Amino acid sequence: MKKSNTLFLLLVLPLLCLSCLVDDEDDKGLQGIDTNPYIIGFQSTSTLESYFQDIGAINIDIPVSVLGGNSGIVTPSNTVVNYTVSPASTATEGNEFTLTGSSFTIAAGTTFSNIPVQINTGSLDPDQPTTLILKLTSTNNSSVVSAIRDTYTITFVGCQSNHAGEYTNPDLPSGASGQATITQTAPNTYTASAIPYLGTSQGTVPIEFSFTNVCGDINITSWALSSDFLIIGTGELDETTGSLTFKYTLYNGTSISDGILFDFSSNADASTYTPL
């Protein structure tokens, strides 16, 4: 009987010790999570602010959030975040914009705060866009600024484009009647009902795409075929006729490294939209 008890203890004791070790390691792991610093950063990286007449001062808020760290997101104490205007900015304080300070506070028990920016709509450049680049620099506690979400670019646009209307395009297939409608969806932002696309089996098909014109800088921003393929393209405007010519490249994936699917970036392959 004594031998049985001894054998039982020899079997159970190592398991108990292992359990203690695991619990101890778990506690240490949780303690490590609890002491991780809060990570502070911008929720997004940029915005476009377009005004074409003087409507006075417009106030906007740029949100900054607790992006991660610690065992929870809500901050236990006030966090003062310092920021500065990057020297790479082309907009001038007191002209295109006005700031109220160089820091803001994420209050205890919250997850975000805002940087207030005043836009002086009557001072935007009517010929070219300018930028305000805000950069988070430091905090008053152990929180850290995100290395990849520490800057935010505001582009001020005072020049207005107008491309809405009906267009002809000889490159479009007969199913699209060789025509396309361009609709304005936001200031300087448009959606065209068709762009030529060489499908692998169905031949040329019309695909809806979106583009922007910011003071003459025309770029395709997206298309409606599939998010699994990348489109990169630019456009040129004929000031005399109002025609828009697009050159673009389709990639066989979501990045340039995935390789080219179709290339329409040369002058010979460019697609021209002429107003009716």
Side-chain angles (χ1 to χ4, degrees), residues 259-271:
I260 294 174
L261 183 63
F262 298 110
D263 190 353
F264 302 100
S265 60
S266 68
N267 289 327
D269 295 322
S271 186

Side-chain angles (χ1 to χ4, degrees), residues 18-37:
L18 178 60
S19 176
C20 292
L21 288 173
V22 171
D23 289 342
D24 186 51
E25 289 300 319
D26 287 345
D27 288 342
K28 289 180 180 178
L30 290 174
Q31 290 172 7
I33 294 175
D34 288 341
T35 57
N36 284 341

Side-chain angles (χ1 to χ4, degrees), residues 133-163:
I133 304 174
L134 299 172
K135 183 175 178 61
L136 305 179
T137 58
S138 62
T139 69
N140 69 328
N141 52 31
S142 59
S143 301
V144 296
V145 172
S146 170
I148 60 175
R149 287 295 184 94
D150 61 339
T151 58
Y152 189 89
T153 301
I154 305 173
T155 301
F156 302 109
V157 181
C159 46
Q160 185 175 21
S161 60
N162 183 16
H163 302 300

Side-chain angles (χ1 to χ4, degrees), residues 3 7 13 17 141 267:
K3 289 183 180 180
L7 181 60
L13 283 175
C17 293
N141 52 31
N267 289 327

Side-chain angles (χ1 to χ4, degrees), residues 196-207 223 225 250 261-262 264:
Y197 165 66
L198 298 178
T200 55
S201 61
Q202 64 271 51
T204 304
V205 295
I207 300 296
W223 68 330
L225 179 63
L250 306 175
L261 183 63
F262 298 110
F264 302 100

Side-chain angles (χ1 to χ4, degrees), residues 236-257:
E236 296 178 359
L237 171 66
D238 186 321
E239 297 284 356
T240 303
T241 64
S243 296
L244 290 162
T245 299
F246 292 95
K247 304 174 184 178
Y248 50 98
T249 303
L250 306 175
Y251 292 89
N252 195 29
T254 57
S255 69
I256 294 176
S257 61

